[in-house]
Amino acid sequence: MKEFSADRLEELLDNVLKPSRYTGGEMNAVLKPFDAAEVTFAFCFPDSYEVGMSHLGIKILYDIINRRPWALCERVFMPWPDMADAMRREALPLFSIESRTPLSRFDIVGFTLQYEMSYTNVLEMLDLAGIPVYSRDRTEGPIIMAGGPCAYNPEPLAPFVDVFQIGDGEEMMVEAIECVRSCKQSGKSRLDTLRALARIEGIYVPAFYEAQYNADGTLASFSPVDDAAPATVRKRVVLDLDAAPYPESFIVPYTEAIHDRIVLEIMRGCTKGCRFCQAGMLYRPVRERSLETLLKQAEKLENATGYEEMSLSSLSSGDYSHLTELVCALTERYADRKISVSLPSMRIDSIVKQSLEEAQKVRKSGLTLAPEAGTQRMRDVINKGVTEADLIRAVTDAFESGWSTVKLYFMIGLPTETDEDLQGIGQLARDVINAYFTVPRGVRAKGLRVTCSASTFVPKPFTPFQWQGQDDLDTIKEKQARLGDILRQVKGVNFNWHEPELSMLEACFARGDRRMGDVLYAAWQNGCRMDGWTEFLNYEGWMKAFSDCGVDPAFYANRPRGEKELLPWDFIDAGVTRAFLWREWQKAQRAETTPDCRKGCQGCGLKRFEGVCADR
Amino acid sequence: MKMLVVFEKTERLRHVGHLDLMRAMQRALRRSGVPIAFSKGFNPHLLLTFAAPLSVGMSGLREVMEVPLSEAISESEFKEKLRAALPPELPCVAVRAVDDRHPAPMAQLYAASYKMSVKENAEALISAIPSFLEKDSVMALRKTKSGEKLTDIRPMIYDLKALDGETVACTLALCEAATCKPELLLDALAKEAGLEARPRVICARTQLYGRDFVPLELL
Ligand code: SF4
């Protein structure tokens, strides 16, 4: 790699798409003298600037690290392919936005893993930085860390990442950078630094574990080979969310991010127990922020950013205890400053009509509902505690309050699915349209738009469906075509679906083991990157990687797992126990539901954590 | 009351495009707490206007925007508040309070001066300046609203000189009736120098002018 040349970079920037993705200088970006910091952390988001800047986790951790005078955190995003190619051609190493420092000069390079299809970008970013992608080839230079929801099954990335953080990062991140700081001060070797890190609860150092396989390819054993490494890695939980640090300012990007607004995290975790939902299981227990704290945060963030939009974030905002009060207070406070308040990921069983009316005082965005399945039986299988009557009541309320754009999210390929379930989706769409027409002409808004979006079910670790095989590609394609036919008969509905190939790859990584790392490497060598972007997905490159590595994708994606099989992520204690998940899996197959555990503990295992769910 | 604001967009921010800059200024004004006026209607927004958009890649040393206010505020207070709300790399240089009837800066625009630092073939380009200036007419293809048009740009070039071995300064027409973009001049000058392509330059707009070359913000 050549030395970093400012002039060369300027020349590149004049010739790439959206150069301001790389140039920074945004309001509230933290500029510290690089060389004065005792620990330097490059926070890498393995996707474009626009996607990464919309992400809440990066804002929280950027703030937590930079609050410490001795530490420095700067941002790095995956360069768009035109820029990546130009940098490689010119031998310009990947650099941080704030101080334009090459990644190889940082103490820690940390990736957040939000979705499996960003994994090739992790390798691409390391390589663009001139850092050897395999951990075993690194004897010096930054320690490569990773966290985020996908770190709960870290195995496909185990050959490339030195240190994984499992669970809430607020406290663990501080412990990790403090540990690196003291190791640096005492001149510890790379190996001893990794050992020190492995002793922090929630941290997993893959080099200290060994996996053995049976003749049929399943995992035979998985165990630590270093004294510093615990046999079980337990996720971290921030008990008191109200007291947890939250940024008082957000960086305000120039080029528009996907979500370019104030985000208030009102609650973490979810108690509904939807059986397909990994986030719902991983982020347990439920913790809320108080109304008072949120209003204070809103005020600070508004003064610091000047954003014209505020959104409430959580897995199920409708369950937040003070939702109505919060929405009313925010709307009232900010109406004269022309700030709109939006409520995403609304669950249809919890829509508060009053909130709807409050929210639309300022702006009326589309209503998004996720019934997930078309029949009551199927919704019982997935434990989506919602009835058709709930849904129709919710949309009717919305139509009466002036909404006219509705998006409905469904999944196909769920366990036990039959043709009847696909027809059910059509019926539900029809009922939504009928509900619109039952609202009198003068009351309802003009221009009804109903969109049905069908994604393909991907079985995820730490969910009751982790034992289920995904439908194979042909079956998924047949079901998509069938659903297309069904919805074509419903007048006024738009239908869209996800690339089934993408969902298949996602399934391979979601439940992959270390051997998927070789496939990942081969695919990246074949030119795969930015796989989450339809225009860049190189499916042939992936298929070639599988065959070159002698790996059958069906082994990971479509194969059902048995009760006794050792799963690659079993060594992680994510809070919910395997016994609970198995029990839920059995109930699912009988279409038996499990109630929301706010109404009574269902024994998921979280109570083993000190101070968790003590009141239930 | 309206406030004319002179600001600088240089260094790394030269890569920020016009729409992005506009949004950044709107947000800066919101967080500054100055009494800004909103438009009426369903989707209220700030009534902010820029004298002339800056293209992606071009710096601006003294750019002008007009901010309508809902209440009076002193120039010094306004400047202080806005400065605090802007990132260090986007400073507010000067402000001037004017009456609501003061004509919009955009309508008074007449010319702009530029400084180009020439990154390749500087010598050839600069040595072509004297003969270029001798010409009575320079025909160039100009993009207009109605398509490309062959125009004589010579009358739109008010000044052109080398500042040193790799910097060219010029003053060019910039108004509704006739605009000569610096790239257009550069193409013509490169042709005069016998160069095959326009050399790579980094360009800064140094000043906007009204009639008689009075700086726009003073008119
Ligand atoms: S321990 Fe009980 S109350 Fe707590 S999340 Fe699990 S099921 Fe719910």
Side-chain angles (χ1 to χ4, degrees):
Chain A
M1 285 279 160
K2 287 181 202 166
E3 258 313 284
F4 192 79
S5 145
D7 216 43
R8 293 286 281 271
L9 174 61
E10 288 302 322
E11 188 179 346
L12 285 196
L13 291 172
D14 276 329
N15 291 297
V16 295
L17 297 166
K18 297 199 194 172
S20 57
R21 282 169 173 157
Y22 314 106
T23 50
E26 308 98 327
M27 188 67 192
N28 301 325
V30 179
L31 301 168
K32 290 183 173 185
F34 188 85
D35 293 311
E38 291 172 48
V39 172
T40 52
F41 192 108
F43 200 115
C44 298
F45 195 98
D47 208 322
S48 72
Y49 177 92
E50 292 88 330
V51 176
M53 284 300 290
S54 309
H55 179 244
L56 181 59
I58 184 168
K59 299 181 210 285
I60 294 178
L61 294 170
Y62 183 82
D63 169 65
I64 285 184
I65 301 172
N66 279 323
R67 275 188 199 195
R68 290 166 169 76
W70 47 271
L72 165 149
C73 178
E74 300 191 347
R75 294 160 298 152
V76 189
F77 301 92
M78 170 69 189
W80 199 251
D82 67 331
M83 180 67 167
D85 292 343
M87 291 173 78
R88 195 166 271 135
R89 204 169 48 236
E90 299 285 325
L92 266 181
L94 185 61
F95 55 90
S96 63
I97 290 196
E98 280 81 354
S99 66
R100 295 191 172 177
T101 305
L103 258 60
S104 53
R105 286 195 54 212
F106 283 80
D107 296 316
I108 305 167
V109 169
F111 289 90
T112 176
L113 307 173
Q114 297 295 316
Y115 25 86
E116 291 83 3
M117 295 325 288
S118 67
Y119 289 178
T120 49
N121 290 350
V122 173
L123 304 198
E124 176 78 344
M125 287 172 79
L126 287 174
D127 188 61
L128 283 171
I131 297 171
V133 297
Y134 275 105
S135 303
R136 56 165 189 261
D137 297 333
R138 293 191 292 263
T139 47
E140 48 170 28
I143 289 176
I144 311 302
M145 288 193 185
C150 291
Y152 279 89
N153 176 21
E155 288 306 272
L157 282 175
F160 315 103
V161 172
D162 300 317
V163 172
F164 286 94
Q165 296 191 16
I166 317 285
D168 293 333
E170 281 97 338
E171 292 158 2
M172 184 168 31
M173 180 60 90
V174 176
E175 290 164 32
I177 59 172
E178 274 171 353
C179 175
V180 170
R181 179 198 198 195
S182 76
C183 289
K184 252 181 101 180
Q185 276 164 356
S186 56
K188 279 213 173 107
S189 69
R190 189 180 182 87
L191 185 63
D192 284 335
T193 306
L194 292 178
R195 286 203 176 105
L197 284 163
R199 291 198 174 90
I200 297 174
E201 190 171 41
I203 281 188
Y204 163 56
V205 179
F208 296 155
Y209 297 77
E210 216 173 71
Q212 251 138 28
Y213 302 93
N214 297 311
D216 65 0
T218 55
L219 197 60
S221 70
F222 187 87
S223 45
V225 290
D226 191 288
D227 289 344
T232 303
V233 178
R234 181 181 260 212
K235 78 158 175 182
R236 291 294 291 266
V237 175
V238 169
L239 269 184
D240 186 355
L241 195 65
D242 210 39
Y246 199 75
E248 296 185 348
S249 72
F250 286 175
I251 294 174
V252 185
Y254 290 102
T255 174
E256 211 162 7
I258 312 245
H259 299 301
D260 205 11
R261 58 195 183 197
I262 290 173
V263 180
L264 298 176
E265 191 195 18
I266 58 177
M267 181 168 76
R268 199 175 288 178
C270 178
T271 50
K272 297 277 175 186
C274 297
R275 290 175 180 136
F276 58 87
C277 178
Q278 191 188 31
M281 296 292 161
L282 295 183
Y283 293 114
R284 284 180 177 212
V286 159
R287 292 143 290 166
E288 295 194 349
R289 278 202 168 90
S290 69
L291 194 60
E292 197 195 353
T293 303
L294 290 168
L295 291 176
K296 250 189 242 155
Q297 289 173 351
E299 187 62 20
K300 284 202 171 120
L301 284 167
E302 182 47 37
N303 292 336
T305 62
Y307 271 132
E308 39 308 270
E309 191 184 342
M310 232 175 242
S311 84
L312 308 182
S313 154
S314 77
L315 290 171
S316 86
S317 296
D319 292 332
Y320 176 63
S321 319
H322 319 287
L323 183 66
T324 314
E325 290 142 276
L326 179 65
V327 173
C328 293
L330 290 174
T331 324
E332 202 172 287
R333 262 186 210 202
Y334 296 114
D336 59 330
R337 284 155 77 179
K338 319 287 182 230
I339 296 162
S340 66
V341 181
S342 57
L343 312 144
S345 73
M346 183 75 87
R347 295 183 49 145
I348 58 175
D349 49 348
S350 56
I351 289 179
V352 186
K353 194 173 175 194
Q354 193 183 350
S355 308
L356 284 181
E357 275 163 9
E358 287 294 337
Q360 61 125 32
K361 245 190 225 162
V362 183
R363 196 191 322 170
K364 206 165 298 156
S365 48
L367 184 71
T368 302
L369 301 169
E372 309 291 3
T375 58
Q376 193 54 48
R377 186 199 67 84
M378 192 77 253
R379 284 193 295 272
D380 288 347
V381 169
I382 63 175
N383 204 42
K384 183 92 191 176
V386 155
T387 63
E388 163 133 15
D390 293 333
L391 174 78
I392 296 308
R393 195 178 331 109
V395 290
T396 309
D397 277 355
F399 291 145
E400 280 168 357
S401 308
W403 259 267
S404 60
T405 302
V406 181
K407 263 195 208 145
L408 301 170
Y409 283 98
F410 295 98
M411 261 186 287
I412 54 176
L414 287 162
T416 75
E417 185 179 63
T418 65
D419 192 64
E420 205 178 302
D421 301 306
L422 297 178
Q423 289 178 40
I425 294 176
Q427 188 53 47
L428 210 51
R430 212 171 276 127
D431 293 344
V432 167
I433 291 172
N434 289 340
Y436 173 80
F437 287 107
T438 57
V439 178
R441 204 180 282 269
V443 178
R444 68 186 191 225
K446 279 198 198 101
L448 173 70
R449 279 180 42 203
V450 178
T451 306
C452 283
S453 191
S455 62
T456 303
F457 166 66
V458 178
K460 295 277 173 123
F462 297 110
T463 67
F465 293 163
Q466 65 177 0
W467 289 278
Q468 164 80 9
Q470 188 183 43
D471 276 349
D472 61 35
L473 270 187
D474 289 342
T475 312
I476 294 172
K477 285 181 181 161
E478 263 166 42
K479 286 182 178 175
Q480 281 180 340
R482 170 83 179 118
L483 186 56
D485 287 342
I486 293 169
L487 287 172
R488 215 162 296 125
Q489 287 159 27
V490 187
K491 220 176 119 234
V493 174
N494 289 317
F495 174 47
N496 55 51
W497 62 90
H498 292 220
E499 305 288 310
E501 288 83 6
L502 203 64
S503 307
M504 191 273 279
L505 292 172
E506 217 181 296
C508 289
F509 281 108
R511 294 184 300 165
D513 54 33
R514 288 187 177 193
R515 293 167 301 179
M516 275 302 292
D518 297 329
V519 178
L520 176 64
Y521 183 84
W524 168 68
Q525 288 275 296
N526 291 343
C528 296
R529 60 181 167 179
M530 297 293 259
D531 305 293
W533 298 78
T534 323
E535 66 259 52
F536 297 121
L537 178 66
N538 168 6
Y539 188 60
E540 290 71 43
W542 275 105
M543 286 304 103
K544 189 172 175 310
F546 276 107
S547 71
D548 287 352
C549 296
V551 171
D552 179 7
F555 177 81
Y556 294 103
N558 313 125
R559 183 176 62 90
R561 274 66 157 173
E563 186 181 5
K564 295 282 174 285
E565 181 172 340
L566 181 63
L567 302 170
W569 52 92
D570 275 343
F571 74 98
I572 288 173
D573 180 352
V576 288
T577 56
R578 200 176 143 128
F580 168 76
L581 295 175
W582 182 261
R583 209 159 61 230
E584 281 293 293
W585 175 221
Q586 300 312 306
K587 285 172 89 176
Q589 285 160 301
R590 299 191 298 263
E592 265 174 47
T593 59
T594 298
D596 186 324
C597 68
R598 278 183 195 241
K599 298 171 195 118
C601 179
Q602 298 296 323
C604 77
L606 258 299
K607 276 194 177 164
R608 296 173 300 123
F609 287 58
E610 212 189 314
V612 167
C613 302
D615 51 341
R616 260 170 254 148
Chain B
M1 186 167 130
K2 303 192 288 194
M3 202 62 82
L4 296 182
V5 177
V6 184
F7 66 92
E8 188 184 312
K9 187 197 89 156
T10 52
E11 300 291 330
R12 51 169 104 197
L13 293 196
R14 76 182 177 89
H15 300 290
V16 173
H18 176 62
L19 290 177
D20 290 345
L21 181 71
M22 213 152 77
R23 197 169 41 237
M25 280 297 182
Q26 285 173 345
R27 287 172 179 164
L29 285 161
R30 297 179 72 113
R31 49 182 186 255
S32 71
V34 300
I36 37 184
F38 285 94
S39 70
K40 305 262 179 312
F42 191 65
N43 240 330
H45 53 274
L46 293 186
L47 299 157
L48 186 63
T49 52
F50 285 70
L54 265 181
S55 47
V56 176
M58 199 190 289
S59 306
L61 266 47
R62 295 186 69 83
E63 291 300 305
V64 178
M65 65 174 184
E66 182 192 79
V67 184
L69 299 170
S70 60
E71 288 165 37
I73 178 172
S74 77
E75 289 176 344
S76 59
E77 189 187 346
F78 183 97
K79 188 174 168 191
E80 208 30 64
K81 284 191 161 158
L82 183 58
R83 230 177 201 295
L86 283 167
E89 284 151 306
L90 190 65
C92 158
V93 184
V95 303
R96 180 178 154 217
V98 293
D99 196 64
D100 273 337
R101 282 164 313 204
H102 189 88
M106 203 193 309
Q108 292 184 289
L109 200 58
Y110 180 71
S113 53
Y114 304 86
K115 205 164 90 180
M116 294 184 264
S117 76
V118 187
K119 297 293 180 187
E120 50 193 31
N121 295 323
E123 213 187 302
L125 194 78
I126 285 171
S127 57
I129 293 179
S131 63
F132 183 83
L133 287 175
E134 298 273 294
K135 300 190 158 196
D136 292 329
S137 89
V138 177
M139 299 309 283
L141 260 188
R142 208 161 61 95
K143 278 205 190 86
T144 63
K145 274 176 206 140
S146 46
E148 294 204 324
K149 218 168 108 190
L150 204 59
T151 331
D152 183 6
I153 58 165
R154 184 63 189 86
M156 302 181 204
I157 303 169
Y158 304 126
D159 189 25
L160 172 65
K161 58 177 181 263
L163 295 182
D164 55 40
E166 50 198 32
T167 318
V168 173
C170 60
T171 304
L172 306 173
L174 176 58
C175 62
E176 213 169 312
T179 290
C180 176
K181 291 196 167 158
E183 300 88 70
L184 215 54
L185 164 69
L186 206 58
D187 282 340
L189 193 56
K191 205 166 131 201
E192 177 72 16
L195 298 173
E196 273 181 18
R198 176 203 304 174
R200 194 170 79 82
V201 301
I202 292 184
C203 186
R205 187 152 73 191
T206 48
Q207 181 67 55
L208 294 167
Y209 299 104
R211 89 198 105 70
D212 301 329
F213 297 99
V214 178
L216 192 63
E217 65 272 21
L218 301 181
L219 262 183

